[in-house]
Short mmCIF file of all heavy atoms in Angstrom, two decimals:
data_model
loop_
_atom_site.label_atom_id
_atom_site.label_comp_id
_atom_site.label_asym_id
_atom_site.label_seq_id
_atom_site.Cartn_x
_atom_site.Cartn_y
_atom_site.Cartn_z
N PRO A 102 -5.10 9.55 -26.61
CA PRO A 102 -6.05 10.64 -26.80
C PRO A 102 -6.38 11.40 -25.48
O PRO A 102 -6.13 10.87 -24.40
CB PRO A 102 -7.28 9.95 -27.34
CG PRO A 102 -7.20 8.59 -26.74
CD PRO A 102 -5.74 8.27 -26.59
N LEU A 103 -6.97 12.55 -25.62
CA LEU A 103 -7.50 13.33 -24.53
C LEU A 103 -9.02 13.44 -24.68
O LEU A 103 -9.54 13.43 -25.78
CB LEU A 103 -6.97 14.74 -24.52
CG LEU A 103 -5.52 14.98 -24.18
CD1 LEU A 103 -5.16 16.48 -24.41
CD2 LEU A 103 -5.27 14.64 -22.70
N ILE A 104 -9.70 13.54 -23.54
CA ILE A 104 -11.12 13.80 -23.55
C ILE A 104 -11.40 14.99 -22.64
O ILE A 104 -10.80 15.12 -21.57
CB ILE A 104 -11.96 12.55 -23.10
CG1 ILE A 104 -13.47 12.82 -23.33
CG2 ILE A 104 -11.67 12.14 -21.64
CD1 ILE A 104 -14.33 11.56 -23.24
N ARG A 105 -12.28 15.85 -23.10
CA ARG A 105 -12.66 17.06 -22.35
C ARG A 105 -13.98 16.75 -21.62
O ARG A 105 -15.03 16.66 -22.21
CB ARG A 105 -12.84 18.22 -23.29
CG ARG A 105 -13.16 19.54 -22.62
CD ARG A 105 -13.24 20.63 -23.71
NE ARG A 105 -13.60 21.90 -23.20
CZ ARG A 105 -14.83 22.40 -23.17
NH1 ARG A 105 -15.83 21.73 -23.64
NH2 ARG A 105 -15.04 23.58 -22.65
N VAL A 106 -13.93 16.60 -20.33
CA VAL A 106 -15.11 16.33 -19.52
C VAL A 106 -15.69 17.69 -19.09
O VAL A 106 -14.94 18.49 -18.48
CB VAL A 106 -14.74 15.44 -18.28
CG1 VAL A 106 -15.89 15.30 -17.32
CG2 VAL A 106 -14.22 14.09 -18.76
N PRO A 107 -16.94 17.94 -19.39
CA PRO A 107 -17.53 19.24 -19.11
C PRO A 107 -17.45 19.69 -17.64
O PRO A 107 -17.22 20.86 -17.38
CB PRO A 107 -18.97 19.13 -19.55
CG PRO A 107 -19.01 17.96 -20.44
CD PRO A 107 -17.91 17.04 -20.00
N GLU A 108 -17.69 18.76 -16.70
CA GLU A 108 -17.64 19.15 -15.29
C GLU A 108 -17.35 17.97 -14.40
O GLU A 108 -17.68 16.80 -14.68
CB GLU A 108 -18.90 19.85 -14.88
CG GLU A 108 -20.19 19.00 -14.98
CD GLU A 108 -21.42 19.79 -14.64
OE1 GLU A 108 -21.44 21.02 -14.80
OE2 GLU A 108 -22.38 19.15 -14.18
N VAL A 109 -16.69 18.30 -13.30
CA VAL A 109 -16.35 17.33 -12.26
C VAL A 109 -16.83 17.92 -10.93
O VAL A 109 -16.66 19.12 -10.67
CB VAL A 109 -14.81 17.07 -12.20
CG1 VAL A 109 -14.44 16.21 -11.00
CG2 VAL A 109 -14.32 16.51 -13.52
N GLU A 110 -17.47 17.06 -10.10
CA GLU A 110 -17.88 17.51 -8.79
C GLU A 110 -16.89 16.97 -7.76
O GLU A 110 -16.59 15.78 -7.77
CB GLU A 110 -19.29 17.00 -8.46
CG GLU A 110 -19.81 17.52 -7.14
CD GLU A 110 -21.23 17.07 -6.83
OE1 GLU A 110 -21.98 16.81 -7.80
OE2 GLU A 110 -21.47 16.93 -5.62
N ILE A 111 -16.38 17.89 -6.93
CA ILE A 111 -15.47 17.49 -5.90
C ILE A 111 -15.69 18.36 -4.67
O ILE A 111 -15.91 19.58 -4.80
CB ILE A 111 -13.99 17.59 -6.38
CG1 ILE A 111 -13.01 16.95 -5.36
CG2 ILE A 111 -13.59 18.99 -6.75
CD1 ILE A 111 -11.62 16.71 -5.91
N ALA A 112 -15.74 17.76 -3.53
CA ALA A 112 -15.89 18.48 -2.22
C ALA A 112 -17.11 19.47 -2.26
O ALA A 112 -16.99 20.55 -1.76
CB ALA A 112 -14.63 19.22 -1.89
N GLY A 113 -18.19 19.03 -2.89
CA GLY A 113 -19.39 19.86 -2.93
C GLY A 113 -19.35 20.99 -3.96
O GLY A 113 -20.27 21.82 -4.02
N HIS A 114 -18.33 21.04 -4.79
CA HIS A 114 -18.18 22.05 -5.82
C HIS A 114 -18.21 21.38 -7.20
O HIS A 114 -17.71 20.27 -7.33
CB HIS A 114 -16.88 22.82 -5.69
CG HIS A 114 -16.70 23.49 -4.38
ND1 HIS A 114 -17.27 24.68 -4.03
CD2 HIS A 114 -15.92 23.13 -3.30
CE1 HIS A 114 -16.92 24.98 -2.83
NE2 HIS A 114 -16.10 24.09 -2.32
N THR A 115 -18.67 22.12 -8.22
CA THR A 115 -18.62 21.66 -9.56
C THR A 115 -17.74 22.59 -10.36
O THR A 115 -17.86 23.80 -10.26
CB THR A 115 -20.00 21.57 -10.17
OG1 THR A 115 -20.85 20.72 -9.36
CG2 THR A 115 -19.99 21.02 -11.60
N ALA A 116 -16.82 22.01 -11.12
CA ALA A 116 -15.91 22.84 -11.96
C ALA A 116 -15.58 22.08 -13.24
O ALA A 116 -15.73 20.86 -13.33
CB ALA A 116 -14.60 23.08 -11.16
N GLY A 117 -15.19 22.85 -14.24
CA GLY A 117 -14.81 22.24 -15.48
C GLY A 117 -14.63 23.32 -16.55
O GLY A 117 -14.81 24.50 -16.26
N PRO A 118 -14.29 22.95 -17.69
CA PRO A 118 -14.04 21.60 -18.19
C PRO A 118 -12.69 21.04 -17.64
O PRO A 118 -11.83 21.81 -17.22
CB PRO A 118 -13.99 21.73 -19.69
CG PRO A 118 -13.51 23.12 -19.94
CD PRO A 118 -14.07 23.95 -18.80
N VAL A 119 -12.52 19.75 -17.71
CA VAL A 119 -11.34 19.07 -17.25
C VAL A 119 -10.84 18.09 -18.31
O VAL A 119 -11.64 17.32 -18.86
CB VAL A 119 -11.65 18.29 -15.92
CG1 VAL A 119 -10.42 17.51 -15.43
CG2 VAL A 119 -12.17 19.26 -14.87
N TRP A 120 -9.57 18.12 -18.63
CA TRP A 120 -8.98 17.25 -19.61
C TRP A 120 -8.37 15.97 -18.93
O TRP A 120 -7.71 16.11 -17.89
CB TRP A 120 -7.84 17.97 -20.37
CG TRP A 120 -8.34 18.98 -21.34
CD1 TRP A 120 -8.41 20.33 -21.12
CD2 TRP A 120 -8.86 18.78 -22.67
NE1 TRP A 120 -8.89 20.96 -22.25
CE2 TRP A 120 -9.18 20.00 -23.21
CE3 TRP A 120 -9.04 17.59 -23.42
CZ2 TRP A 120 -9.71 20.12 -24.45
CZ3 TRP A 120 -9.55 17.75 -24.69
CH2 TRP A 120 -9.89 18.98 -25.20
N PHE A 121 -8.64 14.83 -19.56
CA PHE A 121 -8.09 13.59 -19.11
C PHE A 121 -7.36 12.86 -20.26
O PHE A 121 -7.93 12.80 -21.36
CB PHE A 121 -9.20 12.62 -18.63
CG PHE A 121 -9.81 13.00 -17.32
CD1 PHE A 121 -10.90 13.83 -17.25
CD2 PHE A 121 -9.25 12.55 -16.11
CE1 PHE A 121 -11.49 14.15 -16.07
CE2 PHE A 121 -9.82 12.88 -14.90
CZ PHE A 121 -10.93 13.72 -14.89
N GLU A 122 -6.19 12.29 -19.98
CA GLU A 122 -5.49 11.53 -20.94
C GLU A 122 -5.79 10.06 -20.70
O GLU A 122 -5.75 9.59 -19.54
CB GLU A 122 -4.01 11.79 -20.83
CG GLU A 122 -3.19 11.02 -21.85
CD GLU A 122 -1.67 11.31 -21.71
OE1 GLU A 122 -1.30 12.36 -21.20
OE2 GLU A 122 -0.90 10.44 -22.13
N ARG A 123 -6.12 9.33 -21.75
CA ARG A 123 -6.41 7.87 -21.62
C ARG A 123 -5.11 7.12 -21.37
O ARG A 123 -4.11 7.32 -22.03
CB ARG A 123 -7.09 7.35 -22.88
CG ARG A 123 -7.49 5.89 -22.75
CD ARG A 123 -8.11 5.35 -24.00
NE ARG A 123 -7.09 5.20 -24.99
CZ ARG A 123 -7.30 4.97 -26.31
NH1 ARG A 123 -8.52 4.95 -26.70
NH2 ARG A 123 -6.29 4.81 -27.13
N ARG A 124 -5.20 6.22 -20.39
CA ARG A 124 -4.07 5.30 -20.06
C ARG A 124 -4.63 3.90 -19.90
O ARG A 124 -5.77 3.73 -19.47
CB ARG A 124 -3.43 5.72 -18.73
CG ARG A 124 -2.63 7.04 -18.82
CD ARG A 124 -1.46 6.87 -19.76
NE ARG A 124 -0.76 8.09 -20.10
CZ ARG A 124 0.33 8.52 -19.46
NH1 ARG A 124 0.82 7.87 -18.49
NH2 ARG A 124 0.89 9.68 -19.85
N PRO A 125 -3.83 2.90 -20.30
CA PRO A 125 -4.33 1.52 -20.15
C PRO A 125 -4.76 1.19 -18.73
O PRO A 125 -4.13 1.68 -17.73
CB PRO A 125 -3.09 0.69 -20.54
CG PRO A 125 -2.29 1.59 -21.39
CD PRO A 125 -2.50 2.96 -20.82
N ASP A 126 -5.79 0.37 -18.59
CA ASP A 126 -6.28 0.04 -17.27
C ASP A 126 -5.17 -0.55 -16.40
O ASP A 126 -5.04 -0.21 -15.22
CB ASP A 126 -7.41 -1.04 -17.42
CG ASP A 126 -8.70 -0.41 -17.87
OD1 ASP A 126 -8.72 0.66 -18.56
OD2 ASP A 126 -9.78 -1.00 -17.59
N ARG A 127 -4.36 -1.43 -16.99
CA ARG A 127 -3.28 -2.06 -16.19
C ARG A 127 -2.25 -1.06 -15.70
O ARG A 127 -1.66 -1.17 -14.65
CB ARG A 127 -2.63 -3.16 -16.95
CG ARG A 127 -1.70 -2.78 -18.06
CD ARG A 127 -1.01 -3.97 -18.69
NE ARG A 127 0.09 -3.53 -19.52
CZ ARG A 127 -0.03 -2.93 -20.70
NH1 ARG A 127 -1.20 -2.74 -21.20
NH2 ARG A 127 1.04 -2.54 -21.36
N THR A 128 -2.02 0.03 -16.49
CA THR A 128 -1.08 1.07 -16.05
C THR A 128 -1.63 1.84 -14.88
O THR A 128 -0.93 2.13 -13.91
CB THR A 128 -0.80 2.06 -17.23
OG1 THR A 128 -0.25 1.35 -18.33
CG2 THR A 128 0.12 3.19 -16.82
N ILE A 129 -2.91 2.15 -14.95
CA ILE A 129 -3.58 2.85 -13.80
C ILE A 129 -3.48 1.94 -12.57
O ILE A 129 -3.16 2.42 -11.49
CB ILE A 129 -5.06 3.20 -14.15
CG1 ILE A 129 -5.14 4.20 -15.30
CG2 ILE A 129 -5.76 3.74 -12.88
CD1 ILE A 129 -4.61 5.58 -15.04
N GLN A 130 -3.79 0.68 -12.74
CA GLN A 130 -3.78 -0.22 -11.64
C GLN A 130 -2.40 -0.39 -11.02
O GLN A 130 -2.23 -0.30 -9.81
CB GLN A 130 -4.30 -1.64 -12.01
CG GLN A 130 -5.78 -1.72 -11.99
CD GLN A 130 -6.40 -1.18 -10.70
OE1 GLN A 130 -6.95 -0.11 -10.70
NE2 GLN A 130 -6.22 -1.90 -9.62
N LYS A 131 -1.39 -0.59 -11.83
CA LYS A 131 -0.03 -0.83 -11.31
C LYS A 131 0.63 0.45 -10.82
O LYS A 131 1.29 0.46 -9.79
CB LYS A 131 0.84 -1.50 -12.36
CG LYS A 131 0.49 -2.93 -12.59
CD LYS A 131 1.44 -3.53 -13.61
CE LYS A 131 1.13 -5.02 -13.74
NZ LYS A 131 2.07 -5.70 -14.61
N THR A 132 0.50 1.51 -11.58
CA THR A 132 1.22 2.72 -11.27
C THR A 132 0.54 3.60 -10.26
O THR A 132 1.12 4.01 -9.26
CB THR A 132 1.47 3.55 -12.56
OG1 THR A 132 2.12 2.72 -13.53
CG2 THR A 132 2.37 4.77 -12.28
N LEU A 133 -0.76 3.92 -10.51
CA LEU A 133 -1.48 4.80 -9.65
C LEU A 133 -2.09 4.11 -8.42
O LEU A 133 -1.88 4.56 -7.30
CB LEU A 133 -2.55 5.56 -10.42
CG LEU A 133 -2.10 6.34 -11.62
CD1 LEU A 133 -3.29 7.10 -12.26
CD2 LEU A 133 -1.04 7.33 -11.27
N ALA A 134 -2.84 3.03 -8.65
CA ALA A 134 -3.51 2.36 -7.55
C ALA A 134 -2.50 1.82 -6.54
O ALA A 134 -2.81 1.77 -5.37
CB ALA A 134 -4.45 1.31 -8.06
N GLY A 135 -1.35 1.41 -6.98
CA GLY A 135 -0.32 0.89 -6.06
C GLY A 135 0.23 1.91 -5.14
O GLY A 135 0.88 1.59 -4.14
N SER A 136 -0.02 3.20 -5.44
CA SER A 136 0.52 4.25 -4.60
C SER A 136 -0.50 4.81 -3.60
O SER A 136 -0.21 5.72 -2.87
CB SER A 136 1.09 5.37 -5.45
OG SER A 136 0.07 6.06 -6.12
N THR A 137 -1.73 4.28 -3.65
CA THR A 137 -2.80 4.74 -2.73
C THR A 137 -3.28 3.60 -1.90
O THR A 137 -2.93 2.44 -2.10
CB THR A 137 -3.96 5.36 -3.55
OG1 THR A 137 -4.60 4.34 -4.34
CG2 THR A 137 -3.54 6.49 -4.41
N ASP A 138 -4.20 3.87 -1.05
CA ASP A 138 -4.78 2.88 -0.15
C ASP A 138 -5.97 2.13 -0.75
O ASP A 138 -6.52 1.25 -0.14
CB ASP A 138 -5.17 3.51 1.20
CG ASP A 138 -6.28 4.51 1.05
OD1 ASP A 138 -6.49 5.03 -0.03
OD2 ASP A 138 -6.92 4.80 2.09
N ARG A 139 -6.37 2.55 -1.94
CA ARG A 139 -7.55 1.97 -2.58
C ARG A 139 -7.40 2.05 -4.11
O ARG A 139 -6.68 2.88 -4.59
CB ARG A 139 -8.81 2.75 -2.11
CG ARG A 139 -10.13 2.19 -2.60
CD ARG A 139 -11.28 3.03 -2.16
NE ARG A 139 -11.41 3.01 -0.70
CZ ARG A 139 -12.25 3.75 -0.06
NH1 ARG A 139 -13.08 4.60 -0.69
NH2 ARG A 139 -12.32 3.71 1.29
N ARG A 140 -8.17 1.21 -4.83
CA ARG A 140 -8.18 1.26 -6.25
C ARG A 140 -8.68 2.60 -6.70
O ARG A 140 -9.57 3.19 -6.13
CB ARG A 140 -9.11 0.16 -6.75
CG ARG A 140 -9.16 0.07 -8.25
CD ARG A 140 -10.05 -0.99 -8.72
NE ARG A 140 -10.08 -0.98 -10.19
CZ ARG A 140 -10.84 -1.68 -10.91
NH1 ARG A 140 -11.70 -2.50 -10.41
NH2 ARG A 140 -10.76 -1.60 -12.23
N VAL A 141 -8.06 3.12 -7.81
CA VAL A 141 -8.47 4.43 -8.33
C VAL A 141 -8.83 4.30 -9.80
O VAL A 141 -8.37 3.43 -10.50
CB VAL A 141 -7.33 5.50 -8.15
CG1 VAL A 141 -7.07 5.79 -6.68
CG2 VAL A 141 -6.04 5.06 -8.87
N ALA A 142 -9.65 5.24 -10.26
CA ALA A 142 -10.06 5.31 -11.64
C ALA A 142 -9.07 6.03 -12.50
O ALA A 142 -9.07 5.96 -13.68
CB ALA A 142 -11.44 5.98 -11.78
N GLY A 143 -8.23 6.80 -11.88
CA GLY A 143 -7.24 7.64 -12.58
C GLY A 143 -6.65 8.66 -11.64
O GLY A 143 -6.56 8.42 -10.44
N ALA A 144 -6.20 9.79 -12.18
CA ALA A 144 -5.63 10.85 -11.39
C ALA A 144 -6.24 12.17 -11.75
O ALA A 144 -6.54 12.47 -12.93
CB ALA A 144 -4.10 10.90 -11.71
N LEU A 145 -6.50 12.99 -10.75
CA LEU A 145 -6.97 14.33 -10.93
C LEU A 145 -5.79 15.27 -10.73
O LEU A 145 -5.02 15.12 -9.81
CB LEU A 145 -8.05 14.70 -9.96
CG LEU A 145 -9.40 13.98 -10.13
CD1 LEU A 145 -10.33 14.27 -8.96
CD2 LEU A 145 -10.03 14.36 -11.46
N GLY A 146 -5.70 16.27 -11.60
CA GLY A 146 -4.59 17.22 -11.53
C GLY A 146 -5.01 18.63 -11.80
O GLY A 146 -6.15 19.00 -11.63
N GLY A 147 -4.04 19.40 -12.26
CA GLY A 147 -4.22 20.83 -12.44
C GLY A 147 -5.35 21.28 -13.37
O GLY A 147 -5.84 22.41 -13.25
N SER A 148 -5.76 20.39 -14.28
CA SER A 148 -6.86 20.75 -15.18
C SER A 148 -8.14 21.01 -14.35
O SER A 148 -8.95 21.87 -14.72
CB SER A 148 -7.10 19.63 -16.18
OG SER A 148 -8.07 19.97 -17.11
N LEU A 149 -8.30 20.26 -13.27
CA LEU A 149 -9.38 20.49 -12.33
C LEU A 149 -9.00 21.44 -11.23
O LEU A 149 -9.73 22.41 -10.88
CB LEU A 149 -9.88 19.18 -11.68
CG LEU A 149 -10.90 19.33 -10.58
CD1 LEU A 149 -12.19 19.95 -11.04
CD2 LEU A 149 -11.16 18.00 -9.89
N PHE A 150 -7.80 21.22 -10.64
CA PHE A 150 -7.40 21.97 -9.46
C PHE A 150 -7.19 23.47 -9.67
O PHE A 150 -7.22 24.23 -8.75
CB PHE A 150 -6.17 21.31 -8.81
CG PHE A 150 -6.35 19.92 -8.37
CD1 PHE A 150 -5.28 19.03 -8.33
CD2 PHE A 150 -7.61 19.45 -8.01
CE1 PHE A 150 -5.46 17.71 -7.90
CE2 PHE A 150 -7.79 18.12 -7.60
CZ PHE A 150 -6.70 17.29 -7.53
N ARG A 151 -7.06 23.87 -10.95
CA ARG A 151 -6.82 25.33 -11.22
C ARG A 151 -8.05 26.12 -10.82
O ARG A 151 -7.92 27.34 -10.65
CB ARG A 151 -6.52 25.51 -12.68
CG ARG A 151 -7.70 25.21 -13.62
CD ARG A 151 -7.27 25.33 -15.10
NE ARG A 151 -8.33 24.92 -15.94
CZ ARG A 151 -9.17 25.81 -16.55
NH1 ARG A 151 -9.03 27.09 -16.33
NH2 ARG A 151 -10.15 25.41 -17.29
N HIS A 152 -9.18 25.51 -10.60
CA HIS A 152 -10.40 26.21 -10.20
C HIS A 152 -10.46 26.41 -8.67
O HIS A 152 -11.45 27.00 -8.22
CB HIS A 152 -11.62 25.43 -10.67
CG HIS A 152 -11.73 25.22 -12.15
ND1 HIS A 152 -12.16 26.26 -12.99
CD2 HIS A 152 -11.46 24.20 -12.91
CE1 HIS A 152 -12.17 25.81 -14.22
NE2 HIS A 152 -11.69 24.58 -14.21
N PHE A 153 -9.50 25.93 -7.94
CA PHE A 153 -9.60 25.91 -6.47
C PHE A 153 -8.33 26.41 -5.79
O PHE A 153 -7.25 26.31 -6.30
CB PHE A 153 -9.86 24.49 -6.01
CG PHE A 153 -11.12 23.88 -6.49
CD1 PHE A 153 -11.12 23.03 -7.62
CD2 PHE A 153 -12.34 24.18 -5.90
CE1 PHE A 153 -12.28 22.45 -8.09
CE2 PHE A 153 -13.49 23.61 -6.36
CZ PHE A 153 -13.49 22.75 -7.49
N ARG A 154 -8.51 26.89 -4.54
CA ARG A 154 -7.44 26.97 -3.57
C ARG A 154 -7.66 25.74 -2.69
O ARG A 154 -8.75 25.52 -2.14
CB ARG A 154 -7.61 28.25 -2.73
CG ARG A 154 -6.57 28.33 -1.63
CD ARG A 154 -6.57 29.66 -0.89
NE ARG A 154 -6.11 30.72 -1.81
CZ ARG A 154 -6.89 31.78 -2.19
NH1 ARG A 154 -8.09 31.87 -1.78
NH2 ARG A 154 -6.37 32.67 -3.01
N ILE A 155 -6.59 24.98 -2.59
CA ILE A 155 -6.70 23.67 -1.86
C ILE A 155 -5.74 23.68 -0.70
O ILE A 155 -4.56 24.02 -0.82
CB ILE A 155 -6.38 22.49 -2.78
CG1 ILE A 155 -7.24 22.53 -4.03
CG2 ILE A 155 -6.53 21.13 -2.10
CD1 ILE A 155 -6.86 21.55 -5.12
N THR A 156 -6.28 23.32 0.46
CA THR A 156 -5.45 23.15 1.66
C THR A 156 -5.51 21.66 2.01
O THR A 156 -6.60 21.07 2.17
CB THR A 156 -5.96 23.97 2.83
OG1 THR A 156 -6.04 25.33 2.43
CG2 THR A 156 -5.13 23.79 4.07
#
Side-chain angles (χ1 to χ4, degrees):
L103 289 174
I104 189 166
R105 184 180 178 262
V106 173
E108 60 184 28
V109 174
E110 184 179 331
I111 189 166
H114 303 281
T115 302
V119 177
W120 287 99
F121 287 91
E122 183 179 335
R123 184 181 72 193
R124 290 294 172 97
D126 286 24
R127 73 175 195 287
T128 300
I129 296 292
Q130 277 311 107
K131 287 184 177 184
T132 306
L133 301 183
S136 68
T137 65
D138 64 340
R139 185 182 297 173
R140 182 179 179 189
V141 295
L145 290 173
S148 184
L149 171 64
F150 299 152
R151 68 186 176 96
H152 298 283
F153 299 98
R154 175 173 292 117
I155 305 169
T156 303

